[in-house]
Amino acid sequence: MSDMPTGLNDSPQNIVQRLTRVARERMNNQNNSGISKSARAILAKNLLRLRKAHGYGQQELADLSGLSKSFIGGLENARMNVSLDNLESLSRVLGVEVFVLLIPPDDPDPDK
C-alpha cells in the first residue's frame, strides 16, 4: 500500500479510500489471523487521523458531534467505550460511514 500516503496529513477522502481498500483486501483474504488490534485501538487511530485530516481540534469535534471533549479524548486514547449512536454522530461529522471508523489500518503506527 505504499502508493497511498499515510499519517495525519491525509485528506479524509484518502483515508476513506485507503481504509476501504484495505477492508476489501482483508475480506477477500481468507487468513485474517494477523489482525489482532482491539476495536477500541482501531477506532482510536482512525478517529484521530480523520479528526486531524479535517483540521478539527478535540473541542471542535466534540461541539459538532454533541459529545464532550473528554469523551473524544478518551476514545482517541482507547480508554472509552462508545455506543452506536455516538459512532453515528462522529461518522456524520467526519463524513464517513460508521464501518470506516472500525477498519483496521494496514500500517501499525505510521505516525511515529
Side-chain angles (χ1 to χ4, degrees):
M1 302 248 156
S2 60
D3 60 323
M4 294 190 77
T6 60
L8 296 178
N9 296 323
D10 282 354
S11 71
Q13 295 81 12
N14 283 347
I15 292 170
V16 170
Q17 288 173 349
R18 190 174 130 272
L19 291 174
T20 302
R21 190 165 94 188
V22 168
R24 286 185 182 136
E25 288 173 1
R26 289 187 178 171
M27 286 188 311
N28 290 331
N29 180 1
Q30 294 300 326
N31 182 6
N32 286 334
S33 60
I35 302 172
S36 61
K37 277 191 158 185
S38 73
R40 278 189 195 183
I42 292 165
L43 173 63
K45 180 152 305 273
N46 290 336
L47 184 59
L48 177 65
R49 286 179 179 173
L50 286 164
R51 178 177 64 77
K52 297 274 187 173
H54 279 282
Y56 298 150
Q58 286 183 344
Q59 185 64 58
E60 188 172 7
L61 180 59
D63 292 343
L64 292 169
S65 63
L67 303 170
S68 72
K69 179 182 175 188
S70 63
F71 183 71
I72 298 296
L75 290 176
E76 289 183 355
N77 289 305
R79 292 185 322 239
M80 302 291 285
N81 243 341
V82 65
S83 71
L84 289 174
D85 290 341
N86 289 342
L87 278 179
E88 287 176 340
S89 294
L90 290 166
S91 69
R92 206 172 304 119
V93 170
L94 296 170
V96 298
E97 296 291 331
V98 171
F99 76 90
V100 171
L101 296 174
L102 299 173
I103 297 172
D106 61 336
D107 48 348
D109 204 353
D111 306 319
K112 287 188 176 178

